[in-house]
Amino acid sequence: MNLDDTIVATCSPPGNGSRGIVRVSGWRAIEIGDGLFRGTSGERLVETATNRRLGGVVRLGRFEVPAAVYLFRRPRSYTREDVIEFHLLGAPVLLGWLVESCLAAGARRAEPGEFTARAYLAGAFDWSQVHAIAGLIAARSDNQLRAAERLLHGALGDTARAARAELDELVSLVEAALDFAEEPIDFIAPDELRQRLAGVQRRLEAAVAAGLRADRWTELPRVVLTGRPNVGKSSLFNRLIAAERAIASPWPGTTRDVLSATVDLPGLECLLFDVAGEAEPRTELESLAQQSARRAAEQADLVLEVRDVADYAVCPAVAATTPRLVVLNKADLLSGEAVVRLAGQVREMEGVPVVAVSALDGSGCEELRAELARRLNARDAAVQEGAVALMAEHCTALEQAISALKAAMTVAGESGGPLSSAELVAAELRAAARALGMLVGEQQTEEMLSRIFSRFCIGK
Ligand code: GDP
């Protein structure tokens, strides 16, 4: 990554939109922007000293397209470099054209995450905040977004810095004891040392326990529809994804492949799967279809067990460990009262949540969506309060620090007096402090940098 280059990328989402954004960053950004933009009252970017928005047109070949330009002079910009943002109609061809014009004027295409990488290298935020931005981009639910925001606001960095400061002090006390071994001074008593180390350990363990594993966020929660043939799984699948994807038919055994689609629920998205119904397989093909259905159910975060109201007590054989929700389908065939009674019976008999719906007329489907969202959100609800997003690297660093602390306490505990193992204690404490240093970005390597930034998309 060459920081001397001026970089350019479209940073609005792909496809048509009401507004598209092209961002240019680097020492030539203003000059490049100035060559393409003309302000409504003739303002020039190169002559504009303060950060502001200018209305006008960008020249793209022979055309002039209405656009606004946001000018951010360094260091008061996201990357801390000079930044120009063109805001114009979100038409992919126009945006592509504008990017090409910037390239022709001497900019280079930005690599994935390069804007954020530059901001980080310029000291705009610390290492855990870089991860937080990756988390904000990856977040698929409101809980995840809040957890990433907490990371962005430095929650993990603060914990790590406080623990580091405490360890640094303890290391110097232990080392002082070594340096002045001949003197009758007691720098720190083993009991006090152990107590303070236990305090640090508790705080780090709490940080792990309260963390949401953000590196797994790109995976959507998986919800699988199971049940006997003809109970209406495919009809419900289509109803929930609001499209005719699965073939619903009165003939059992129509669904053979595992179908999947993304479903937008209140506050989060999930991946919904329609699979073959559970029945005695009659052919080799059906038997294969059932195997993949079972696999899908085993890997699910939630199983929707669909039953026909006429056959409500049949309990399909799904993986017992997967949380499940019973859906009584074809509610339109019975009276409202009868449906309520049946749902109550199943709930009481099996102790599972039950929702009655009709895939045919859509009744109950909004309740089902709300219940799905509630159950999937509840998966991380236990750690929701004050949760901070954690990437795999954070967990590793915290675990390394915790195990070094434990080793230090064991060694300190074995010593007869305060000094006999001071050197070993100090070494473990330094190892713990080093691991924490990773969290505040003291020791990231070139490889760590490229790994994190490659998770970003271009334009971020
Ligand atoms: P699958 O085999 O479980 O996927 O079931 P399908 O979705 O293919 O549906 C089987 C049959 O039940 C079809 O004839 C559907 O039209 C019918 N069906 C599905 N849902 C409902 C419903 O809510 N009410 C009624 N009355 N019929 C339904």
Side-chain angles (χ1 to χ4, degrees):
M1 190 181 299
N2 186 349
L3 296 179
D4 294 334
D5 294 340
T6 294
I7 54 174
V8 61
T10 304
C11 55
S12 46
N16 280 302
S18 59
R19 185 194 256 202
I21 303 173
V22 169
R23 185 187 279 163
V24 189
S25 176
W27 66 276
R28 293 193 53 206
I30 295 176
E31 169 205 331
I32 292 173
D34 190 66
L36 295 167
F37 177 80
R38 192 161 44 78
T40 313
S41 350
E43 306 97 317
R44 305 258 328 250
L45 293 174
V46 283
E47 290 162 2
T48 309
T50 51
N51 285 0
R52 57 179 289 212
R53 173 189 182 282
L54 297 167
V57 289
V58 279
R59 274 189 299 275
L60 298 173
R62 287 182 293 118
F63 298 100
E64 290 200 330
V65 180
V69 160
Y70 287 77
L71 167 75
F72 304 94
R73 283 195 179 268
R74 84 193 134 80
R76 295 180 53 212
S77 73
Y78 181 64
T79 55
R80 305 298 189 260
E81 304 173 327
D82 284 337
V83 169
I84 291 290
E85 274 183 20
F86 293 98
H87 291 227
L88 64 166
L89 206 67
V93 177
L94 275 186
L95 298 173
W97 209 354
L98 178 52
V99 170
E100 291 298 332
S101 304
C102 293
L103 295 175
R108 146 171 91 67
R109 273 184 216 282
E111 291 165 23
E114 191 171 357
F115 291 101
T116 306
R118 288 181 173 213
Y120 166 70
L121 292 170
F125 25 70
D126 75 22
W127 187 232
S128 60
Q129 287 168 314
V130 172
H131 286 86
I133 295 167
L136 287 176
I137 296 167
R140 298 278 199 160
S141 73
D142 296 348
N143 288 342
Q144 293 178 347
L145 199 61
R146 280 194 291 273
E149 270 168 359
R150 280 189 205 101
L151 183 60
L152 183 64
H153 292 136
L156 184 63
D158 290 348
T159 307
R161 260 186 295 274
R164 260 290 290 268
E166 171 84 343
L167 289 181
D168 286 346
E169 189 188 326
L170 293 174
V171 170
S172 56
L173 288 172
V174 172
E175 281 176 343
L178 273 173
D179 292 343
F180 298 97
E182 307 306 320
E183 311 288 330
I185 316 169
D186 208 1
F187 287 95
I188 182 162
D191 268 352
E192 189 198 341
L193 176 64
R194 274 197 303 275
Q195 264 170 26
R196 287 175 66 176
L197 290 178
V200 178
Q201 182 188 340
R202 266 197 306 279
R203 287 197 293 279
L204 298 183
E205 282 172 347
V208 177
L212 283 188
R213 286 299 296 268
D215 44 324
R216 301 192 188 132
W217 285 354
T218 40
E219 294 171 22
L220 288 181
R222 301 157 81 91
V223 176
V224 176
L225 293 162
T226 64
R228 299 183 59 75
N230 256 356
V231 293
K233 296 180 296 300
S234 300
S235 310
L236 191 57
F237 179 84
N238 289 336
R239 180 60 76 174
L240 290 172
I241 68 168
E244 290 293 322
R245 272 281 303 283
I247 301 171
S249 82
W251 299 285
T254 319
T255 308
R256 293 209 164 126
D257 300 323
V258 174
L259 281 182
S260 72
T262 311
V263 180
D264 237 337
L265 297 171
L268 84 166
E269 291 181 307
C270 75
L271 209 52
L272 185 69
F273 292 85
D274 183 22
V275 300
E278 293 166 7
E280 230 10 83
R282 290 163 302 184
T283 60
E284 179 74 4
L285 193 61
E286 282 189 4
S287 149
L288 285 174
Q290 304 222 339
Q291 272 175 29
S292 36
R294 263 195 303 278
R295 245 195 328 275
E298 279 163 16
Q299 291 167 354
D301 294 288
L302 182 64
V303 165
L304 290 189
E305 236 177 71
V306 188
R307 301 185 197 172
D308 193 317
V309 281
D311 206 7
Y312 67 94
V314 175
C315 179
V318 287
T321 50
T322 313
R324 62 196 178 112
L325 175 65
V326 171
V327 181
L328 289 181
N329 188 32
K330 310 197 187 181
D332 56 288
L333 297 178
L334 299 179
S335 71
E337 277 166 37
V339 171
V340 171
R341 205 175 44 247
L342 286 191
Q345 271 176 14
V346 176
R347 212 173 281 128
E348 199 166 307
M349 273 181 335
E350 300 178 38
V352 283
V354 181
V355 180
V357 303
S358 165
L360 196 66
D361 65 20
S363 59
C365 287
E366 271 320 299
E367 286 93 308
L368 177 59
R369 290 162 56 82
E371 178 66 15
L372 261 176
R374 211 178 55 73
R375 304 261 301 174
L376 293 174
N377 269 321
R379 287 185 322 148
D380 30 65
V383 286
Q384 198 184 107
E385 270 311 306
V388 174
L390 295 183
M391 297 289 172
E393 292 93 327
H394 296 145
C395 294
T396 313
L398 286 168
E399 278 153 17
Q400 278 170 354
I402 291 170
S403 84
L405 282 179
K406 284 184 179 158
M409 281 186 281
T410 313
V411 182
E414 281 163 1
S415 69
L419 276 182
S420 49
S421 50
E423 236 159 311
L424 286 176
V425 173
E428 295 294 355
L429 294 186
R430 276 194 297 270
R434 248 197 325 279
L436 292 176
M438 308 271 279
L439 294 177
V440 287
E442 276 169 16
Q443 340 214 345
Q444 78 285 64
T445 58
E446 195 59 33
E447 186 219 325
M448 283 162 70
L449 271 179
S450 63
R451 197 169 56 226
I452 177 79
F453 288 112
S454 65
R455 286 194 204 132
F456 288 58
C457 46
I458 293 176
K460 289 288 178 342

